[in-house]
Amino acid sequence: MRGWAVLGTVLLCVLAPVAMVYGLMAFTPTGSCDYSVSGVCSYGRMPMIVASGGTALVWAASVVLTWAGTRGRPRVYVPYAALAVIVLLVVLAGRVAG
């Protein structure tokens, strides 16, 4: 069981930064958002915040929830659930920006 938790944590620690960088690169406005309310400027630049900030929050919380206070029995499902949530956040950000 512990091996699956380690594998999930490694996958999470490799893929979450990729998702954060993608969120920053894909949803950061390249022009002024002064009079724009669509695309990456929609809802106060929410796509960028959801994709990058949400990913960082889920990543940190899932690593802590996987390993903290488990007495040697890590919660195996948490990193895999976090990966699914990160994918959903990036898709949601794309839907809002699109």
Side-chain angles (χ1 to χ4, degrees):
M1 270 316 222
R2 186 179 172 112
W4 288 107
V6 171
L7 176 65
T9 304
V10 168
L11 285 173
L12 185 65
C13 290
V14 169
L15 297 176
V18 172
M20 284 177 50
V21 169
Y22 174 76
L24 287 173
M25 299 292 284
F27 302 115
T28 299
T30 55
S32 174
C33 285
D34 289 338
Y35 302 106
S36 179
V37 292
S38 63
V40 294
C41 294
S42 60
Y43 303 106
R45 298 184 184 122
M46 188 181 86
M48 180 184 65
I49 294 167
V50 167
S52 58
T55 298
L57 183 65
V58 169
W59 179 21
S62 65
V63 170
V64 170
L65 285 173
T66 301
W67 295 100
T70 59
R71 296 187 191 114
R73 295 182 311 247
R75 297 173 187 95
V76 177
Y77 60 90
V78 173
Y80 300 105
L83 286 170
V85 169
I86 288 170
V87 168
L88 289 175
L89 286 173
V90 172
V91 169
L92 175 68
R95 293 281 184 180
V96 169

